[in-house]
Amino acid sequence: MANSMDYDVIIVGAGNGGLTCANEIASNGYRVLLLDKHNLPGGVASSFVRGRFEYEASLHELCDLGTEEHPGKVKLLLDRLGVSEPFENEMTLFRTVVKGENGYDVSVKAGREDFVRSMLEICPESGKSLEKLLKLLDSTAKALEYNERTHGKPSKLVMLLKYSGFLISASHSLDDVLLSLGFEDKARSILETYWSYLGVPANEINAFHYLEMMFGYINGGAAVPRNRSYAISLALADRALDKGCEIRLDSEVTEFILDGDRICGVKIASGEEFRAREVVSNIIPHNVANMLPSDKVRDRDKKLLNARRFGISFLCIYIGLDVSAEELGMNYTTFISDSLFSDRNTLRRQFPDVYVVNCLNAVVDDATPPGTSTLFITVPVYPQYFMEDVTAGNYRAFKNAAAEHYIDDCERTLGVSIREHIEEISVTTPVTFARYFNAPEGTAYGYELSHWDGLMARMLDKINKFDFDGLTFCGGHGETGDGFGVTYLSGIEAAEKVVRSLRFKDRLTKIRNITRIARKDADKSAANVSGKPAADASGKPAAKASGKMKGA
Amino acid sequence: MGKIANKAKKLRLSAAKFLKIVPERQKKIENAGAGDVKPLRDYKPNALAAELHPQVQYVKITDVRQLAPDVKLIRLSPDKDKNCFRLAPFAPGQCVSVEVVIEGVSHERPYSVSSSPLEGYYEIIVKREPEGLVSGFIHDNWSVGTEARVSGPFGEFSYNPLRDARHVIGVAGGIGITPMRSMIKAIRDGFSDHTLTLLYGVRTEEDIVLRDELDEAAGTPGISVVYVLSGDRSRNDLPDTAESPDRKDGFEHGFIDAELIRKYAPENEPYSVFAAGPDAMYRFLDGELPKLSLRKKFIRFDFRGEPADPEKYSEYQAAREEQGCAQNPGIFRITVRQGGNIFAAECPHNVTIMKALEYAGMIIPSRCRSGECGYCHTRVISGKYFTAPDRDGRRKADTIYNYVHPCVTFPLSDMEIELGGGTRGSGK
């Protein structure tokens, strides 16, 4: 059905990682096919329309966009790929409300100085600790630079002597590190507010991982795309097409094609098959393993997958209101919780008492028609607790009950009137993630970044990653975890690896061809005219190389 | 730095722990089982997703009732022979897309489910449309025992207690009775908790379908039914005055307008208007409902269907001029790329891209055929077009990056578009 080698690279899944990966590989001149099961590119980076409202589907705010003067990694990446979608910058990081006697209702500002000032206003006694925290972060940044300078092979002694702060934050939980810096409860609680963005409570999340993200926000504020994250997805798709990438939507990959123990192509639902020199998967290793013959998956990989826990999922409530953001009195991001600290048990219930409310119009004023606004309520949930009593028959009623619970709570806590202004409402659950993304257990965040499988552990443990010849992964289930900025960057990392491999093989082929010609010449000059092709030792790689020639 | 280390030491935070990260992870993995990973269906959210949103459902027709010369009620039950044991749950007001294979070509059309959500089957009401390829085929060929395929339920035309007023005024025009019947049954069966006054508009008394059923339902607390006769428009004698000889007791007469809705609306209580019917009715209501000063949240329309004629839109001429297509409306060429294939079809200026492709034997994915659901979402490679503004359900970025819903889009020039590669009907 298909040629021996249709593409240099096939990318399965046009999520954030798949899209940036396609751009990066195509701009290196390779032939790329990007496939997605859905009829839109972007994966969760999407939006949807109900009545006169267009909801952002998943993005709260982009980290690492930086400022005009100091653009962050993600901004530089989008610029480099030619994405010029406009952003709004929100310099209030968040309002966070903890209910109850020891609770608080405070707002924290972005920008290093404003951040410290706003924290000191709330917790005057935290000055020393904040100073230490900032020092720790600077030292961490230096440690990362050193790590990069040494190409990921730093001297243990140097690390221990010069960067022990980094080593401590890299090997302890956020809560422990903040405690060690001397933060009192209230300050610690406020500093831990973002935990739900990573899906792991503060007593389990790797401190380095969390603090790196938090400082992205502190330095640059929260960036929100003017036209929803879906616009970035379409822009990335457009740029990929410009670079000669082929995109096939509505094309679910149902099977990986093997050549011995190597992945050499894919089959899509229509029955068509495509072959490539390299395959990149934006889909989670669990689903890849399920699509491969069991005996081809190494035991070590099965153990890895069985050991891992899936990340949290979300209940999302999207509300279109016939009242403006000002009348409603909402700012962009409000975290609401019942207690100062959350741990695993906080989520081990049907309706966890911790959630985020976003009012897009507070930062993108014309996101909906005048006199209207949208609210986006996000609740981190463990599906097994959240969906315990749910059946297909009561699913719809359950969604409404869940929405009602959080709308009531939000009204009571913030003293705003939501219910009477609801013009449109949609509720998504782990089932939605399962439906659109085939996400196992409806995970929104790939694998849980819990301590043993946290960011640092994944980065350091080079041996234990799902490994299959010919296959490279990108996306939120990868080493660097979930989040928009991180997944955009994961695509680039995968692309770099794939391009290196392609280049290496191309060079190898070139050398082989040269030696073959040289040998032929030698054979000829030896007047040996047997007509036998010159040493067929190259075998498989040579066959692949000829495929490449066709493709190129 | 030293200070931090000291403090950390007090809390027993040690840099040496760094060295334990990898061994700890490796141990955890080593201790895990080496069995195959669980298949997706073993996870509850995934199993529920499959049950709630099947790509395709295999059904068998178990009942056909002729409601009027050109109207049939068809019951679709799960086809156990095809391993379909239970149909996906739906909310009253939702649709399913019904597949009909005519001369080897598969066509889909949305039909509202008309039965109660508690009955275990879907009933649809099919009216033979004057030039309806699919409705005609169903009328001529479907009978008890016929096997068919339908999509999962979809659509937003359903009562939601968080959003809608507890009292609903249902406005049904002709075949728009279909979703209303489901809503009535749902109230009667205790599935829905709201009240409903149905204003059912037909031309003549003879056009009322399921009258026995509706009269009986009207006896249920919370449900009332009003028949509204518009008169035989072919004779152009709307009996909308009290003196009209055609006026009948127990009926309202004329079109369902603001005045009539107000007459049956509760006085000191909010109400939601749910309207289902032909395009002409929606356009009439577009003019009438503002007179009631209802908040937008209290007005719900069912899928508006395919737009008939772009020239009916005041925006059309302006769009043509703006895009430099003022001259020469006529027949345009639509080039379709799908994977490595290229097709072409002719499309007159007043025919939607979807229709034109279907006439040419190219079936593109469709569900609502009203611009809302996005199932036919398609990238435009080149060319100019006009999307019916009253059913343009696209996202903002779609308009920036040139994606359209072909079911409600008319060409203003030759066009080239790109279709996805048919995962439809994969049965997964």
Side-chain angles (χ1 to χ4, degrees):
Chain A
M1 189 162 209
N3 298 327
S4 64
M5 209 58 74
D6 309 280
Y7 299 92
D8 292 312
V9 185
I10 291 171
I11 302 171
V12 184
N16 286 342
L19 282 167
T20 55
C21 189
N23 269 276
E24 187 71 9
I25 297 176
S27 55
N28 276 284
Y30 290 104
R31 272 199 77 194
V32 180
L33 172 66
L34 175 59
L35 297 166
D36 200 280
K37 80 191 265 271
H38 201 23
N39 67 351
L40 313 166
V44 298
S46 200
S47 69
F48 62 100
V49 173
R50 291 287 180 272
R52 47 185 179 157
F53 301 93
E54 181 184 345
Y55 302 111
E56 166 63 48
S58 68
L59 175 65
H60 292 87
E61 53 221 30
L62 256 173
C63 188
D64 244 342
L65 222 67
T67 55
E68 286 283 316
E69 312 85 67
H70 303 287
K73 263 187 281 184
V74 176
K75 174 85 172 106
L76 293 171
L77 167 65
L78 293 175
D79 284 351
R80 185 164 62 80
L81 297 182
V83 173
S84 53
E85 272 298 314
F87 286 90
E88 294 292 338
N89 243 33
E90 171 61 46
M91 294 310 275
T92 296
L93 284 183
F94 51 73
R95 172 183 174 193
T96 172
V97 181
V98 172
K99 294 175 262 180
E101 247 175 79
N102 300 318
Y104 52 76
D105 179 351
V106 300
S107 290
V108 178
K109 301 275 178 215
R112 211 163 157 126
E113 279 153 34
D114 287 347
F115 165 73
V116 172
R117 203 174 301 131
S118 63
M119 279 302 292
L120 283 176
E121 265 171 42
I122 305 162
C123 309
E125 76 291 352
S126 65
K128 278 234 165 69
S129 300
L130 281 167
E131 216 170 281
K132 286 179 196 166
L133 178 64
L134 294 173
K135 262 192 195 156
L136 172 64
L137 280 147
D138 290 340
S139 134
T140 299
K142 285 201 185 105
L144 285 180
E145 276 167 30
Y146 170 68
N147 184 50
E148 262 170 51
R149 268 203 315 277
T150 56
H151 306 287
K153 290 180 186 120
S155 144
K156 279 179 187 160
L157 193 66
V158 173
M159 286 298 275
L160 207 57
L161 292 175
K162 272 185 93 174
Y163 305 113
S164 66
F166 163 74
L167 292 184
I168 286 172
S169 78
S171 44
H172 290 86
S173 74
L174 172 67
D175 204 45
D176 280 352
V177 169
L178 294 180
L179 268 171
S180 80
L181 297 177
F183 283 107
E184 300 301 326
D185 279 4
K186 188 175 178 186
R188 219 166 79 242
S189 165
I190 293 167
L191 291 172
E192 289 173 0
T193 297
Y194 278 126
W195 72 265
S196 59
Y197 278 12
L198 296 173
V200 185
N203 62 345
E204 291 185 37
I205 187 77
N206 182 276
F208 159 74
H209 183 191
Y210 180 94
L211 293 173
E212 222 228 338
M213 174 190 76
M214 188 172 83
F215 266 71
Y217 285 130
I218 290 174
N219 289 331
V224 182
R226 273 209 78 82
N227 303 319
R228 317 302 174 276
S229 63
Y230 175 64
I232 304 176
S233 303
L234 288 192
L236 282 168
D238 244 31
R239 296 292 80 79
L241 291 165
D242 292 346
K243 291 164 191 154
C245 169
E246 276 178 49
I247 303 180
R248 278 252 211 151
L249 300 172
D250 223 342
S251 299
E252 181 171 10
V253 167
T254 54
E255 220 179 294
F256 288 97
I257 302 167
L258 300 182
D259 174 7
D261 288 331
R262 186 182 165 84
I263 283 183
C264 65
V266 299
K267 186 174 177 177
I268 63 171
S270 66
E272 286 166 277
E273 294 181 0
F274 305 101
R275 275 155 216 268
R277 301 164 69 197
E278 296 276 342
V279 174
V280 176
S281 172
N282 195 184
I283 60 177
I284 193 164
H286 257 82
N287 291 1
V288 174
N290 265 324
M291 277 193 263
L292 288 167
S294 171
D295 62 324
K296 295 284 184 188
V297 181
R298 302 176 312 171
D299 277 358
R300 209 173 66 197
D301 288 333
K302 287 181 187 166
K303 283 185 168 198
L304 167 68
L305 297 183
N306 288 327
R308 303 186 104 165
R309 267 195 298 232
F310 295 115
I312 52 166
S313 190
F314 292 104
L315 161 71
C316 297
I317 306 159
Y318 305 88
I319 309 172
L321 297 169
D322 63 358
V323 63
S324 70
E326 301 87 70
E327 286 169 274
L328 198 62
M330 291 291 290
N331 50 345
Y332 181 55
T333 304
T334 308
F335 288 88
I336 296 174
S337 168
D338 251 20
S339 53
L340 288 174
F341 301 104
S342 297
D343 61 17
R344 191 162 285 275
N345 286 324
T346 310
L347 301 188
R348 281 192 175 136
R349 49 199 298 190
Q350 189 173 42
F351 296 150
D353 287 315
V354 53
Y355 59 99
V356 197
V357 188
N358 284 89
C359 178
L360 186 58
N361 305 71
V363 51
V364 179
D365 52 1
D366 61 352
T368 62
T372 67
S373 57
T374 60
L375 288 185
F376 173 24
I377 300 178
T378 320
V379 190
V381 295
Y382 287 144
Q384 61 270 42
Y385 294 91
F386 176 63
M387 310 214 60
E388 204 177 354
D389 318 320
V390 182
T391 62
N394 69 16
Y395 181 64
R396 200 182 167 87
F398 169 75
K399 287 203 297 184
N400 262 353
E404 195 165 16
H405 174 90
Y406 287 100
I407 290 167
D408 284 354
D409 193 83
C410 189
E411 286 190 326
R412 265 199 313 274
T413 309
L414 301 181
V416 294
S417 161
I418 298 170
R419 182 78 182 254
E420 67 167 273
H421 293 293
I422 299 175
E423 182 173 313
E424 298 290 345
I425 180 163
S426 299
V427 180
T428 64
T429 72
V431 173
T432 316
F433 288 91
R435 175 189 181 189
Y436 286 105
F437 313 112
N438 276 345
E441 210 172 46
T443 175
Y445 275 2
Y447 300 109
E448 189 174 71
L449 289 146
S450 64
H451 24 33
W452 73 268
D453 200 19
L455 175 87
M456 230 349 110
R458 290 185 197 182
M459 286 170 77
L460 293 169
D461 184 6
K462 298 281 182 208
I463 305 163
N464 286 300
K465 49 185 66 183
F466 190 92
D467 194 13
F468 208 96
D469 197 18
L471 187 67
T472 305
F473 285 95
C474 65
H477 40 71
E479 205 169 80
T480 45
D482 43 75
F484 266 67
V486 167
T487 47
Y488 286 136
L489 292 165
S490 79
I492 301 298
E493 208 173 297
E496 284 167 352
K497 185 185 153 217
V498 166
V499 168
R500 267 198 307 275
S501 160
L502 289 171
R503 282 205 183 125
F504 177 74
K505 283 178 193 156
D506 288 348
R507 264 200 300 274
L508 212 62
T509 308
K510 226 184 232 169
I511 293 166
R512 283 220 179 89
N513 287 341
I514 290 167
T515 45
R516 196 188 303 170
I517 291 161
R519 244 185 259 167
K520 259 189 195 161
D521 288 351
D523 288 351
K524 265 186 207 160
S525 68
N528 185 352
V529 267
S530 72
K532 237 184 180 175
D536 212 351
S538 50
K540 243 167 56 178
K544 256 173 209 160
S546 66
K548 158 68 187 152
M549 306 311 269
K550 210 184 283 173
Chain B
M1 209 69 252
K3 271 185 202 163
I4 297 171
N6 283 342
K7 187 93 182 190
K9 221 175 270 171
K10 263 182 235 162
L11 279 148
R12 291 194 297 278
L13 300 197
S14 138
K17 201 184 170 206
F18 193 75
L19 300 172
K20 293 188 188 146
I21 293 177
V22 172
E24 194 200 341
R25 185 171 195 267
Q26 290 177 344
K27 199 173 143 202
K28 201 89 184 175
I29 293 165
E30 196 42 54
N31 290 337
D36 289 347
V37 300
K38 273 207 268 181
L40 279 182
R41 62 173 179 276
D42 283 4
Y43 297 104
K44 189 167 184 182
N46 303 77
L48 276 174
E51 201 177 342
L52 288 159
H53 306 288
Q55 278 271 340
V56 63
Q57 306 189 82
Y58 293 90
V59 293
K60 209 176 241 178
I61 289 157
T62 50
D63 191 23
V64 177
R65 279 160 67 193
Q66 192 89 38
L67 302 182
D70 57 351
V71 182
K72 278 182 179 178
L73 179 114
I74 297 169
R75 181 177 298 173
L76 311 167
S77 300
D79 187 349
K80 296 183 177 66
D81 299 337
K82 291 254 172 69
N83 287 324
C84 178
F85 297 100
R86 213 170 1 171
L87 296 178
F90 66 95
Q94 282 194 302
C95 293
V96 289
S97 192
V98 173
E99 186 188 6
V100 176
V101 180
I102 304 170
E103 289 170 10
V105 180
S106 150
H107 301 259
E108 284 198 34
R109 291 291 182 277
Y111 285 98
S112 299
V113 182
S114 195
S115 41
S116 160
L118 301 178
E119 286 171 327
Y121 47 74
Y122 302 150
E123 282 179 340
I124 58 172
I125 299 178
V126 181
K127 182 176 184 203
R128 185 195 284 271
E129 300 297 335
E131 282 172 56
L133 177 69
V134 172
S135 62
F137 184 89
I138 291 177
H139 267 262
D140 295 339
N141 295 281
W142 280 21
S143 57
V144 171
T146 303
E147 293 170 4
R149 297 174 10 138
V150 300
S151 74
F154 63 95
E156 304 297 323
F157 185 63
S158 301
Y159 174 78
N160 184 325
L162 293 175
R163 178 194 65 191
D164 304 318
R166 208 177 163 275
H167 187 72
V168 174
I169 304 271
V171 178
I175 202 68
I177 189 65
T178 315
M180 300 297 172
R181 178 176 180 251
S182 181
M183 290 184 196
I184 286 174
K185 280 172 170 272
I187 295 171
R188 202 199 49 199
D189 291 355
F191 179 90
S192 300
D193 182 22
H194 63 95
T195 53
L196 177 81
T197 300
L198 174 65
L199 308 178
Y200 178 15
V202 284
R203 275 165 60 188
T204 66
E205 198 179 345
E206 291 71 44
D207 294 323
I208 299 171
V209 298
L210 297 161
R211 185 161 178 187
D212 291 351
E213 224 184 88
L214 292 170
D215 285 343
E216 196 196 315
T220 312
I223 300 173
S224 48
V225 179
V226 179
Y227 301 109
V228 186
L229 309 180
S230 65
D232 190 340
R233 264 173 287 173
S234 61
R235 286 196 285 130
N236 202 19
D237 59 352
L238 296 181
D240 53 358
T241 56
E243 301 81 45
S244 166
D246 286 349
R247 216 178 158 84
K248 288 183 179 161
D249 282 348
F251 293 89
E252 291 288 347
H253 295 86
F255 288 133
I256 302 170
D257 56 12
E259 203 181 317
L260 191 73
I261 293 172
R262 197 180 282 122
K263 179 175 170 187
Y264 286 95
E267 261 179 48
N268 296 313
E269 183 194 330
Y271 59 93
S272 283
V273 173
F274 275 64
D279 192 38
M281 185 191 90
Y282 292 127
R283 266 185 285 118
F284 180 71
L285 288 175
D286 282 340
E288 286 298 302
L289 292 178
K291 297 178 193 165
L292 294 169
S293 308
L294 290 174
R295 286 159 74 192
K296 228 173 158 80
K297 82 187 226 90
F298 291 129
I299 300 172
R300 304 275 140 200
F301 282 8
D302 198 1
F303 289 128
R304 294 186 76 131
E306 291 168 74
D309 184 357
E311 283 167 271
K312 276 189 182 151
Y313 294 99
S314 55
E315 297 91 339
Y316 183 66
Q317 200 50 39
R320 276 173 52 187
E321 278 162 23
E322 197 183 302
Q323 307 212 40
C325 314
Q327 260 107 63
N328 197 22
I331 294 175
F332 300 113
R333 186 181 169 84
I334 313 288
T335 307
V336 182
R337 287 179 182 277
Q338 187 172 35
N341 300 324
I342 297 178
F343 315 90
E346 312 247 273
C347 184
H349 77 283
N350 57 357
V351 171
T352 63
I353 295 170
M354 179 176 281
K355 266 245 165 80
L357 296 185
E358 286 175 347
Y359 282 135
M362 251 176 274
I363 301 303
I364 63 181
S366 84
R367 279 277 191 272
C368 78
R369 304 176 75 92
S370 305
E372 265 187 54
C373 76
Y375 204 70
C376 61
H377 191 258
T378 297
R379 189 168 75 91
V380 175
I381 299 167
S382 65
K384 290 164 179 154
Y385 52 86
F386 173 76
T387 291
D390 57 352
R391 53 204 88 181
D392 186 355
R394 290 179 297 163
R395 303 156 179 85
K396 185 176 176 194
D398 288 328
T399 63
I400 300 172
Y401 292 95
N402 241 356
Y403 288 76
V404 295
H405 295 161
C407 64
V408 293
T409 301
F410 301 92
L412 293 175
S413 72
D414 287 350
M415 290 178 73
E416 191 171 340
I417 63 174
E418 183 173 58
L419 287 184
T423 48
R424 278 186 331 140
S426 68
K428 299 196 72 176

